Amino acid sequence: CEPICPSKDLTLTPRQRIAVNREIEYRKQNNQEYKTLQKLYVYDGEQTCAVDGLCATTCPVGINTGALTKDIRNTQNSNFTQNIALKISNNYGMTLFAMRQGFKLLNLFEKVLQPKGYRGVRKVISSFPYWYDSMPKVASYDTTQNKIFDKHVVYFSSCINRAFGTSKKASDKRDLNVVVESLLQKTKFNILYPKKDKELCCGVPFESKGFKEQADEKLQELLDHLFEVSNNGEYPILCDNSPCTYRIVNGLKDMGLKVYEPIEFSLKYLVPNLAIKQSDEQIIIHTTCSAKKMGLENSFLELAKLLAKDVIVPSNINCCGFAGDRGFNFPQLNASALSNLKFAITPDTTRGFSTSKTCEIGLSHHAKRDYSSILYLLDQCSDGL
């Protein structure tokens, strides 16, 4: 598990985290001093753990140290923070709106102060998110529905893609939902959206911070809406963000819903119904942790090779270390995990592609190339049949 851990060169590896936790528990049980070690563990063990769960994929007995970290975060959450999380969960649409407005203010703040001034303020106010040169603009998320075709698909846009649009350096400035709608119209799908879609969330932001109850409530709320809009599971469901899809798929149980993330949906439903003209450019791809856990690495490469003649897959990059929104507060984890990315880039590399917005922010910053969803390239390289 150690070579695949994004924090291995920064703080602790999974095995070291387990060893330190055992030592803390041993000292507690034997009335020995443990608080110093426990205090040190907050940063080294908890805050810089990406909780990606890739460690379980290479562990001979499947130990997921990320799950341990989530449990620790859960026990550390006070009644006050639990109540705050509950209020956010119950008013998620309003929360997302407030986040979008706050992000607009941060954009303006960074523009006025310039990067150097912004970094100076962040040294004083540590709660300010780290500012990447690849930060996206705020998405508009204006949806359209067409009802002229025989086929139906449910489209659930993740909250991160409803909030964040494209970066300043992106060649295609369209929001991701616009790209998805373009592809679905080309392939003659009627687009259906869940009711109150701006209120919905799969629960990943809550789960990663240890708010299990709120995470499960948001997931069940989403599943109920997806079940209804898909006509009890008759229509396929596309989620545009891999980490969200992974959580949804794991929570399906016996509901009979057919949920796909961008790679699998593209190969199954889009590519067979498109005329594709392969691009001459050299691209680089990053398979997210969730896509890897869903067994989609080879599928992503297959899709990328259909769209571009030259595809780079870095051999020494596993988890990007952005870890949801953790990269905004602990950019050193992202930097450490992607320290070798620059060696995979060549002067001919034009763009990068992945299937998770926050991963793409960190990847763009460290690769000095714009990363976006692979759906952008598919739309640019295709026409309807």
Side-chain angles (χ1 to χ4, degrees):
C1 62
E2 296 193 310
I4 207 169
C5 178
S7 64
K8 66 181 186 299
D9 297 321
L10 178 67
T11 50
L12 301 179
T13 68
R15 292 176 67 184
Q16 290 169 339
R17 285 184 169 89
I18 292 170
V20 174
N21 271 284
R22 284 175 174 168
E23 179 64 18
I24 290 172
E25 289 303 313
Y26 175 82
R27 292 186 182 188
K28 282 183 179 179
Q29 293 173 14
N30 289 275
N31 296 318
Q32 297 177 12
E33 201 282 324
Y34 66 90
K35 291 188 177 180
T36 301
L37 186 59
Q38 192 175 54
K39 185 177 180 180
L40 290 169
Y41 187 80
V42 171
Y43 175 78
D44 289 346
E46 186 266 307
Q47 291 180 338
T48 55
C49 178
V51 299
D52 56 32
L54 283 186
C55 44
T57 65
T58 56
C59 175
V61 290
I63 296 174
N64 186 342
T65 311
L68 168 65
T69 301
K70 290 177 185 178
D71 286 340
I72 291 172
R73 291 173 184 172
N74 179 257
T75 59
Q76 291 175 345
N77 289 329
S78 64
N79 288 335
F80 176 76
T81 57
Q82 290 281 1
N83 288 331
I84 293 294
L86 182 61
K87 289 182 179 179
I88 290 173
S89 173
N90 291 338
N91 301 277
Y92 200 73
M94 187 181 297
T95 300
L96 197 59
F97 174 80
M99 186 183 80
R100 287 157 55 89
Q101 301 312 307
F103 189 64
K104 285 181 181 178
L105 287 176
L106 286 176
N107 264 288
L108 179 62
F109 200 47
E110 189 270 344
K111 187 175 182 180
V112 172
L113 290 178
Q114 298 297 306
K116 185 177 180 180
Y118 185 95
R119 288 193 293 269
V121 172
R122 189 175 183 271
K123 288 181 180 179
V124 179
I125 308 175
S126 59
S127 59
F128 264 47
Y130 180 82
W131 197 266
Y132 293 83
D133 56 9
S134 53
M135 279 293 209
K137 63 180 178 62
V138 175
S140 59
Y141 191 63
D142 295 322
T143 61
T144 60
Q145 297 190 37
N146 55 308
K147 295 185 178 180
I148 57 176
F149 304 120
D150 295 330
K151 299 180 295 183
H152 302 278
V153 63
V154 177
Y155 173 33
F156 172 64
S157 180
S158 65
C159 51
I160 191 67
N161 285 320
R162 300 199 304 270
F164 288 159
T166 55
S167 73
K168 301 173 185 176
K169 299 179 180 179
S171 56
D172 190 333
K173 302 297 184 182
R174 295 176 298 167
D175 291 339
L176 181 55
N177 72 287
V178 178
V179 174
V180 172
E181 288 168 356
S182 172
L183 284 165
L184 293 175
Q185 288 172 8
K186 285 180 187 178
T187 50
K188 299 180 180 178
F189 275 101
N190 285 331
I191 307 169
L192 306 175
Y193 291 92
K195 292 179 180 178
K196 299 181 179 179
D197 60 331
K198 294 182 180 180
E199 295 277 348
L200 300 177
C201 172
C202 68
V204 163
F206 298 95
E207 181 198 31
S208 64
K209 294 175 177 61
F211 296 107
K212 293 182 178 181
E213 182 180 345
Q214 295 84 350
D216 290 343
E217 286 178 357
K218 293 306 291 182
L219 177 60
Q220 190 58 54
E221 178 187 23
L222 173 60
L223 291 176
D224 291 342
H225 278 79
L226 292 177
F227 188 76
E228 179 183 357
V229 74
S230 68
N231 196 28
N232 302 338
E234 179 183 354
Y235 310 137
I237 300 164
L238 167 63
C239 176
D240 58 16
N241 202 55
S242 289
C244 301
T245 312
Y246 181 74
R247 175 162 170 79
I248 295 169
V249 169
N250 283 339
L252 288 179
K253 299 177 183 177
D254 57 352
M255 293 187 71
L257 299 178
K258 302 183 287 286
V259 183
Y260 302 90
E261 61 85 72
I263 300 166
E264 194 175 14
F265 187 87
S266 295
L267 290 172
K268 185 177 179 67
Y269 291 102
L270 300 180
V271 169
N273 297 297
L274 292 169
I276 295 174
K277 183 179 179 181
Q278 195 179 48
S279 170
D280 291 329
E281 63 188 313
Q282 181 186 89
I283 66 169
I284 185 168
I285 63 173
H286 175 78
T287 309
T288 66
C289 302
S290 48
K292 288 177 180 176
K293 289 186 287 187
M294 288 186 279
L296 295 175
E297 278 187 276
N298 291 335
S299 296
F300 193 15
L301 180 58
E302 177 188 350
L303 177 60
K305 286 185 173 181
L306 284 173
L307 304 177
K309 292 183 178 179
D310 193 355
V311 181
I312 296 174
V313 182
S315 59
N316 53 359
I317 304 294
N318 295 299
C319 171
C320 73
F322 209 95
D325 62 358
R326 194 145 293 257
F328 294 125
N329 295 309
F330 300 96
Q332 59 272 33
L333 177 60
N334 182 233
S336 181
L338 295 180
S339 60
N340 292 319
L341 180 59
K342 58 187 176 183
F343 300 115
I345 303 289
T346 78
D348 295 327
T349 309
T350 56
R351 292 180 288 171
F353 295 95
S354 189
T355 52
S356 171
K357 174 60 70 177
T358 51
C359 296
E360 291 155 17
I361 294 172
L363 288 160
S364 299
H365 179 76
H366 292 286
K368 306 303 178 187
R369 302 289 192 280
D370 181 61
Y371 275 74
S372 58
S373 170
I374 191 64
L375 295 174
Y376 280 89
L377 186 60
L378 178 57
D379 191 45
Q380 292 163 17
C381 292
S382 66
D383 289 306
L385 294 176

